[in-house]
Amino acid sequence: MSYELLMDQIRTLPEEAVKEVASFVMYMQYKFCVNSSVDGHNAEFLSRIDLANQQIKDGKVVVKTFEELEAMAEE
């Protein structure tokens, strides 16, 4: 359904129904924005995990014990 056809059908509704439809559309836009934001964050998080896994496979990690880290912090 095209936007124009949808708007024509909405204009035929009683005023009370138009308000309800407008509220519903605003809610759906909000949900879409929230979900898009979450999807973006999830994609970024997953790409960071992939990068970390690749660095581990390539041997580009440094392993230190907790004691070594504490000693470094004291320096």
Side-chain angles (χ1 to χ4, degrees):
M1 176 181 296
S2 71
Y3 176 77
E4 292 80 16
L5 182 59
L6 178 62
M7 290 306 295
D8 288 342
Q9 290 181 351
I10 289 174
R11 286 188 194 101
T12 64
L13 295 172
E15 187 174 335
E16 306 83 44
V18 171
K19 289 179 183 177
E20 288 182 32
V21 169
S23 296
F24 176 74
V25 169
M26 289 175 58
Y27 172 76
M28 293 306 294
Q29 287 175 328
Y30 166 77
K31 291 298 283 182
F32 176 77
C33 290
V34 168
N35 288 339
S36 295
S37 176
V38 168
D39 290 343
H41 289 299
N42 286 346
E44 180 182 343
F45 180 71
L46 291 174
S47 70
R48 288 182 182 187
I49 290 174
D50 289 340
L51 176 61
N53 285 334
Q54 188 61 46
Q55 289 174 335
I56 291 168
K57 287 178 186 174
D58 295 342
K60 297 181 179 178
V61 295
V62 177
V63 179
K64 297 212 179 276
T65 65
F66 190 71
E67 289 78 21
E68 290 172 319
L69 291 174
E70 285 180 326
M72 289 172 62
E74 292 175 3
E75 292 175 356

